[in-house]
Amino acid sequence: MRHIYTFLLLAILCLSMASCSDDKRDIVFFTGDAPIYQTGTCVNLISSVSLYPIKPEGENIGIDGGNGDYSIIGNTDEAVVAVVMTVSEKYKRLQITPKALGETTIIISDGDGKTAALKVKVREYGKRMVVNAQGIIVNGEVTDEKKAEIADGMKETFPVAINGGFELVSGKSETWKDEGILRVYHENFKETPVIGSYSWKLIMVNDKEKMGFSFIFDDKEYQFTTSVREEPKTRSNNTNVLQLYEDVTSQCTVECPVGTRVYRGYKIYLEDL
């Protein structure tokens, strides 16, 4: 009988220790239905979140850890987001909705005085295209001397310089390859941009339709594709690098042999806005 009492006492102590351990765990924020703590898996614990004006419903962020008696004690910039505490079936959550572009920090506390901070950034959804390199591509039955002559004659015709580029502000949060506002930086990203528009649509490339970008700015349309028939797209594991090609045969400043195709080529680095 003494052994049974000893076993029960140990079981109670273990449960008590586990309960204490849960209370002592730091407060964490998570996405999804429940927090994932298991190492070696795709954990969903976060310390920051991005919101977008085009997704006005915002995000529902879960809270775990501490003693569970949570309250919101701070929002460093209430002009950026609104936040309320909600309760789901098991976890309390923060419903955060965007109000204006900017950054803020939401601070919560539990009944024991523990605190946790969640950084929130409200930003535009889209991509920045930074021109890293550019050059003239000449395809067709053309001598090397003629290619050099064409390239030299076209090298000053690029609409943006290296270190300049574009910002694509999408009208949808599902994809930036859609349509929206275009900001053009002719020389660099410190200058005041030219405002235009962009769309992802079918364009003509070598007398065939292919998906590509249409940029409209400075009262002109520029059409870009990610590959051309004679210039296969280079395979790359770097999803932040994009090759763009623009057929400018009709704009060539040098007389070209029949069948020649001239392209302006761009190496682009992609960044989130």
Side-chain angles (χ1 to χ4, degrees):
M1 183 66 70
R2 182 179 299 174
H3 293 297
I4 294 176
Y5 285 131
T6 301
F7 175 78
L8 290 174
L9 180 60
L10 287 172
I12 292 170
L13 286 173
C14 287
L15 288 173
S16 176
M17 290 173 64
S19 177
C20 291
S21 176
D22 287 343
D23 289 346
K24 291 180 180 179
R25 192 170 61 212
D26 290 338
I27 300 171
V28 296
F29 301 100
F30 65 89
T31 59
D33 296 331
I36 301 173
Y37 294 100
Q38 184 177 351
T39 57
T41 62
C42 186
V43 298
N44 59 350
L45 308 183
I46 62 170
S47 60
S48 63
V49 63
S50 291
L51 305 181
Y52 307 96
I54 57 177
K55 190 179 178 183
E57 68 273 19
E59 295 289 346
N60 195 260
I61 304 299
I63 313 170
D64 194 30
N67 70 3
D69 185 18
Y70 310 121
S71 60
I72 302 170
I73 63 172
N75 178 1
T76 59
D77 194 339
E78 295 182 353
V80 173
V81 300
V83 57
V84 294
M85 186 83 69
T86 64
V87 181
S88 62
E89 292 182 0
K90 185 175 180 181
Y91 298 98
K92 290 187 177 180
R93 296 177 179 272
L94 297 175
Q95 180 60 47
I96 311 171
T97 54
K99 296 170 65 177
L101 298 179
E103 298 183 25
T104 186
T105 300
I106 298 169
I107 305 170
I108 70 166
S109 175
D110 71 359
D112 293 331
K114 292 179 182 176
T115 61
L118 179 70
K119 294 182 179 180
V120 182
K121 184 175 183 179
V122 180
R123 60 187 180 90
E124 296 170 317
Y125 188 87
K127 293 289 185 181
R128 172 177 285 184
M129 291 181 165
V130 183
V131 177
N132 178 257
Q134 56 190 20
I136 301 298
I137 301 163
V138 182
N139 287 333
E141 298 296 324
V142 189
T143 64
D144 291 342
E145 292 77 9
K146 192 64 175 180
K147 285 184 178 181
E149 181 187 356
I150 294 171
D152 187 63
M154 293 291 290
K155 66 181 181 181
E156 302 297 332
T157 67
F158 287 88
V160 296
I162 293 175
N163 297 322
F166 312 94
E167 288 180 341
L168 282 59
V169 184
S170 176
K172 295 182 180 180
S173 60
E174 291 82 7
T175 176
W176 61 278
K177 287 184 176 180
D178 179 50
E179 60 182 17
I181 297 170
L182 176 71
R183 292 195 286 256
V184 183
Y185 299 83
H186 288 289
E187 298 294 333
N188 58 70
F189 285 88
K190 294 181 180 180
E191 66 188 17
T192 301
V194 172
I195 305 301
S197 63
Y198 84 94
S199 59
W200 175 253
K201 66 177 188 179
L202 286 171
I203 62 175
M204 294 300 296
V205 180
N206 298 338
D207 302 322
K208 291 185 178 181
E209 287 188 327
K210 298 184 68 172
M211 292 302 295
F213 288 106
S214 169
F215 289 178
I216 299 177
F217 61 94
D218 292 337
D219 298 320
K220 185 177 178 181
E221 181 181 15
Y222 298 81
Q223 294 187 339
F224 304 88
T225 184
T226 56
S227 66
V228 291
R229 184 179 57 200
E230 296 90 346
E231 191 74 23
K233 183 178 179 181
T234 303
R235 292 184 177 274
S236 173
N237 294 325
N238 190 345
T239 57
N240 294 323
V241 176
L242 181 68
Q243 303 284 348
L244 292 181
Y245 302 91
E246 180 188 7
D247 190 341
V248 290
T249 304
S250 62
Q251 305 169 40
C252 190
T253 58
V254 177
E255 185 177 352
C256 299
V258 176
T260 303
R261 289 282 185 176
V262 182
Y263 303 91
R264 287 194 290 236
Y266 305 77
K267 181 180 179 182
I268 302 289
Y269 279 139
L270 293 176
E271 302 173 352
D272 290 331
L273 290 180

